[in-house]
Amino acid sequence: MAEISLITPTISEYLALRNSVGWRTPDTEVTAIALKNSLISAIAIEDDRVVGTVRIVGDGAMYFYIQDLIVHQQYQRRGIGSALMKAALQWLHNNVPKGSLVSLTTESSLAEFYSRTGFTKVADILMQSDESLEFRQSIK
């Protein structure tokens, strides 16, 4: 079984995990900022390598968002994702003020997994800006 630690993955570990599941790979500068700005991160180590991660992002007071639960494709279906979620939820239980909102976004194929960890589907629609590239370019 993987060992779970509340440690931020390195940029290369994080990008390798994203790549292993077919997610787009942001550049290293953007990744460094994202990892640094996480409220907390956890990693799963098995076979002396990082095989999974989860991050919690948000404002640290009212809104908390579970982000980037990733398990390397070769290590999926071994309970690693569940162990990472358990660590994330324990941190939230110990650190989040009562009445705060904790949420996440997922693909419909993973909704059952998250419902087993205590999350409930609340909407069928996720809205995203079509202008995200222009926003990113305008702040450089």
Side-chain angles (χ1 to χ4, degrees):
M1 183 65 174
E3 177 186 334
I4 308 299
S5 298
L6 294 180
I7 298 172
T8 302
T10 66
I11 294 168
S12 60
E13 291 165 342
Y14 177 77
L15 292 176
L17 287 170
R18 287 182 67 95
N19 188 53
S20 81
V21 296
W23 291 2
R24 75 172 177 82
T25 306
D27 68 38
T28 56
E29 288 179 30
V30 169
T31 301
I33 294 167
L35 292 175
K36 179 181 176 233
N37 288 338
S38 301
L39 297 174
I40 190 78
S41 297
I43 59 171
I45 300 172
E46 192 169 297
D47 301 328
D48 295 320
R49 67 186 273 206
V50 174
V51 298
T53 191
V54 64
R55 299 188 308 130
I56 298 173
V57 299
D59 63 17
M62 291 176 30
Y63 300 100
F64 298 82
Y65 188 80
I66 296 176
Q67 180 70 38
D68 296 338
L69 175 60
I70 312 168
V71 176
H72 191 285
Q73 190 174 29
Q74 294 175 342
Y75 290 83
Q76 292 179 2
R77 306 245 181 244
R78 298 184 189 185
I80 295 169
S82 295
L84 285 164
M85 275 299 290
K86 183 178 179 182
L89 293 171
Q90 185 64 52
W91 185 89
L92 288 162
H93 177 75
N94 293 336
N95 293 282
V96 171
K98 187 174 183 159
S100 297
L101 177 67
V102 176
S103 63
L104 59 84
T105 303
T106 188
E107 297 176 15
S108 59
S109 63
L110 295 171
E112 185 179 324
F113 168 80
Y114 290 107
S115 69
R116 289 193 306 265
T117 65
F119 285 83
T120 304
K121 182 179 178 181
V122 294
D124 287 330
I125 296 175
L126 170 66
M127 302 299 291
Q128 178 174 309
S129 171
D130 291 335
E131 305 297 323
S132 60
L133 290 177
E134 284 89 24
F135 291 147
R136 196 170 346 140
Q137 291 170 346
S138 68
I139 61 173
K140 283 188 174 182

